Amino acid sequence: MKKGKISDLAIRRLPEYLQYLRKLQRIHVKYVSAPEIERQFGIHQTQIRKDLALTGLKGKVKVGHVVDDAIDAILHFLGWDVKLSAFIVGAGNLGSSLAGYSDLNYSGINIISLFDDNPNVIGRNIQGLPVFDVNELDYYAKKFNPKIGILTTPQEVAQDCADKLIKANIKAIWNFTTIQLAVPEDVVILTTCLCSDLAVITHRMKDLSDLKVKNQDIQNANQKI
Amino acid sequence: MKKGKISDLAIRRLPEYLQYLRKLQRIHVKYVSAPEIERQFGIHQTQIRKDLALTGLKGKVKVGHVVDDAIDAILHFLGWDVKLSAFIVGAGNLGSSLAGYSDLNYSGINIISLFDDNPNVIGRNIQGLPVFDVNELDYYAKKFNPKIGILTTPQEVAQDCADKLIKANIKAIWNFTTIQLAVPEDVVILTTCLCSDLAVITHRMKDLSDLKVKNQDIQNANQKI
DNA sequence: TAGATTGTTAATCGATTAACAATC
DNA sequence: TAGATTGTTAATCGATTAACAATC
């Protein structure tokens, strides 16, 4: 079973298809074809076929793919058919908003609770979830067996909290801080850097306005002629 | 001035370097070399050189780059040396947390205010910022001239609010909803999909546990020998 | 049947890495 | 000087797109 390393780019596209497939499911559409998805996303149909093939899904010639099956295949492939328990460490604004971010609950995780070191927050409820003392993380980890730790603390305590999660036998850390975390190699780590997204936006804006200036120049030049 | 299209992947790396450069600046380190950054991030030094070269930065042979200059060059290249005003539309949990997300304020934007349609929220203060009525967006847009709209509304009203932003002459929309927004082509649009990040995490976790099972098999096979 | 679609192999395109001359 | 670094060109690697046979 030689399995070529699967690209993160493909993995990232699957939840987008999933979104669309669920929309189709809600309006009781039974089949969807790659050319249809291409129209939706502007992604080349060959790529869509390859992405879907990754999940093991088979299509029907002239018909496309069964929407329900496609959803199941993607969920299974991503590991979202088994809900993994998650802890959020850092019950600040970001942590609180992720706790209530319903999109995540449609995906592969089940957020159990939040943790913080602020006595004013510990014991309260956020988005219907309890906030526990981060120093009792180990205790609650034994109780709930979380697989994913979502790290939304201030920078200063990020590595320390990551260590606590690792000690509690967590399998993956989703890092929302800008710290370069040190983790053992059997712990999956992914850092979400919103600043990178913003960089893409501002850079494209600069490009657009440069283009405008350039067009202006061309216009001016034409006027001179 | 033939400028090859710059890859988003490069653009996304720049804020990461920036983070590290600022850390060096805080501890008064004057120079940094590409091999040093490579050690930090595990990104190949040739790539780091090319990325920095995009910004127009020149290094000194045997010394590296001046930290202060590198920071300035990246800020300028990304367009972060001029702060763009931004509105957040949707003062729910996510919108509120972005309003207080200090990392963004270290980058190229200046969030002016939030907008919502809920009378219980309108008029309140969130993270020190005022919440206005989304129906008065046009009025406040004339007053503050925002360039970026951050969309954190429920799915149902997302396109509607995007239209409001576009009518108010916004230049870019940062979309946190899962809706495929329709926008004119001179409006920059970027969708942040947290589910894609989660997909990468859960898929890697699946890989790791598959690997564990495989190693187990090998071990079992060896025992039989 | 003709036309639409699948799935796969080949070609192209773009990003990363290797190699190396120049410099201090 | 020797060794470290820059910046650039060439080579490799991987992702996307094109082409096409098979199917219904």
Side-chain angles (χ1 to χ4, degrees), chain A residues 52-73:
Chain A
L52 292 177
L54 287 176
T55 69
L57 188 69
K58 300 277 173 205
K60 285 186 197 172
V61 171
K62 269 201 73 175
V63 175
H65 300 81
V66 177
V67 171
D68 290 354
D69 292 354
I71 291 173
D72 288 348

Side-chain angles (χ1 to χ4, degrees), chain A residues 28-64:
Chain A
H28 307 292
V29 172
K30 189 141 189 248
Y31 294 99
V32 66
S33 71
E36 249 171 282
I37 301 178
E38 171 173 306
R39 261 168 260 135
Q40 265 295 307
F41 291 94
I43 298 172
H44 198 285
Q45 51 174 294
T46 306
Q47 180 144 80
I48 290 161
R49 287 206 187 90
K50 286 195 175 175
D51 289 344
L52 292 177
L54 287 176
T55 69
L57 188 69
K58 300 277 173 205
K60 285 186 197 172
V61 171
K62 269 201 73 175
V63 175

Side-chain angles (χ1 to χ4, degrees), chain A residues 17-211:
Chain A
Y17 304 151
L18 187 60
Q19 184 73 24
Y20 175 58
L21 292 166
R22 278 175 163 152
K23 202 170 93 187
L24 294 179
Q25 194 181 46
R26 275 200 301 279
I27 55 173
H28 307 292
V29 172
K30 189 141 189 248
Y31 294 99
V32 66
S33 71
E36 249 171 282
I37 301 178
E38 171 173 306
R39 261 168 260 135
Q40 265 295 307
F41 291 94
I43 298 172
H44 198 285
Q45 51 174 294
T46 306
Q47 180 144 80
I48 290 161
R49 287 206 187 90
K50 286 195 175 175
D51 289 344
L52 292 177
L54 287 176
T55 69
L57 188 69
K58 300 277 173 205
K60 285 186 197 172
V61 171
K62 269 201 73 175
V63 175
H65 300 81
V66 177
V67 171
D68 290 354
D69 292 354
I71 291 173
D72 288 348
I74 293 176
L75 287 176
H76 179 70
F77 180 72
L78 294 175
W80 288 8
D81 51 347
V82 182
K83 290 262 174 187
L84 301 175
S85 297
F87 282 178
I88 294 176
V89 181
N93 295 305
L94 186 58
S96 301
S97 76
L98 292 176
Y101 194 52
S102 60
D103 280 358
L104 293 185
N105 290 318
Y106 274 104
S107 62
I109 60 175
N110 177 27
I111 300 171
I112 302 284
S113 62
L114 297 91
F115 291 83
D116 210 296
D117 63 356
N118 180 347
N120 296 325
V121 181
I122 295 168
R124 283 183 49 203
N125 258 51
I126 290 180
Q127 313 283 345
L129 301 177
V131 183
F132 298 128
D133 188 332
V134 70
N135 290 309
E136 294 174 18
L137 196 147
D138 233 23
Y139 168 78
Y140 289 102
K142 285 195 181 88
K143 202 161 160 186
F144 294 110
N145 195 24
K147 299 298 181 202
I148 301 180
I150 303 175
L151 196 64
T152 56
T153 66
Q155 314 294 329
E156 305 85 66
V157 296
Q159 181 65 58
D160 197 49
C161 289
D163 292 343
K164 281 196 173 79
L165 284 165
I166 293 161
K167 235 180 80 192
N169 215 22
I170 214 98
K171 299 299 174 222
I173 292 178
W174 191 357
N175 177 32
F176 282 87
T177 79
T178 52
I179 295 296
Q180 298 271 316
L181 295 175
V183 302
E185 68 169 13
D186 63 338
V187 171
V188 172
I189 174 123
L190 189 117
T191 299
T192 293
C193 177
L194 292 181
C195 287
S196 289
D197 285 358
L198 184 63
V200 173
I201 293 174
T202 54
H203 182 256
R204 283 193 198 157
M205 287 171 81
K206 224 162 124 278
D207 262 8
L208 264 188
S209 60
D210 287 355
L211 196 67

Side-chain angles (χ1 to χ4, degrees), chain B:
Chain B
M1 193 184 74
K2 180 179 59 185
K3 177 171 92 177
K5 172 114 179 38
I6 293 161
S7 139
D8 279 355
L9 295 170
I11 302 294
R12 285 177 174 281
R13 283 188 295 263
L14 290 174
E16 298 187 47
Y17 304 151
L18 188 60
Q19 183 73 23
Y20 175 59
L21 291 166
R22 279 176 163 152
K23 203 170 93 187
L24 293 179
Q25 194 181 46
R26 276 200 298 280
I27 56 173
H28 307 293
V29 172
K30 185 134 193 253
Y31 294 99
V32 66
S33 70
E36 249 170 281
I37 302 177
E38 171 173 308
R39 261 167 258 134
Q40 266 296 306
F41 292 94
I43 298 173
H44 198 284
Q45 49 174 293
T46 306
Q47 181 144 81
I48 290 161
R49 288 207 186 89
K50 288 194 173 176
D51 289 345
L52 292 178
L54 288 176
T55 69
L57 189 69
K58 299 279 172 202
K60 285 185 199 174
V61 172
K62 269 202 74 174
V63 174
H65 299 81
V66 178
V67 171
D68 292 354
D69 293 353
I71 291 172
D72 288 347
I74 293 175
L75 287 177
H76 179 70
F77 180 73
L78 293 177
W80 289 8
D81 51 348
V82 182
K83 290 263 174 184
L84 301 176
S85 296
F87 282 179
I88 295 177
V89 181
N93 295 304
L94 186 57
S96 302
S97 76
L98 291 176
Y101 194 50
S102 60
D103 280 358
L104 293 185
N105 289 317
Y106 275 105
S107 63
I109 59 174
N110 177 28
I111 300 171
I112 304 283
S113 62
L114 297 91
F115 291 83
D116 210 295
D117 63 356
N118 180 348
N120 296 324
V121 181
I122 295 168
R124 282 185 50 204
N125 258 51
I126 288 179
Q127 314 282 345
L129 300 177
V131 183
F132 298 128
D133 187 330
V134 71
N135 290 310
E136 294 173 18
L137 197 146
D138 234 22
Y139 168 77
Y140 288 103
K142 285 194 182 91
K143 201 162 162 187
F144 294 111
N145 195 25
K147 300 297 180 201
I148 301 180
I150 303 175
L151 197 65
T152 56
T153 65
Q155 314 295 328
E156 305 84 66
V157 295
Q159 181 64 57
D160 198 47
C161 289
D163 292 344
K164 282 196 172 77
L165 285 166
I166 292 161
K167 235 181 77 193
N169 215 23
I170 214 95
K171 300 298 174 221
I173 293 178
W174 192 355
N175 177 32
F176 282 87
T177 79
T178 51
I179 295 296
Q180 299 270 316
L181 294 175
V183 300
E185 70 169 11
D186 63 339
V187 171
V188 172
I189 175 123
L190 189 118
T191 299
T192 293
C193 177
L194 292 179
C195 286
S196 289
D197 284 357
L198 184 63
V200 173
I201 294 175
T202 53
H203 181 257
R204 285 195 197 154
M205 288 171 81
K206 226 162 123 279
D207 261 8
L208 263 188
S209 62
D210 287 356
L211 197 67
K212 232 173 250 173
V213 170
K214 213 170 121 194
N215 287 344
Q216 196 92 56
D217 287 350
I218 292 169
Q219 214 163 45
N220 290 347
N222 286 345
Q223 274 170 10
K224 278 179 202 159
I225 294 171

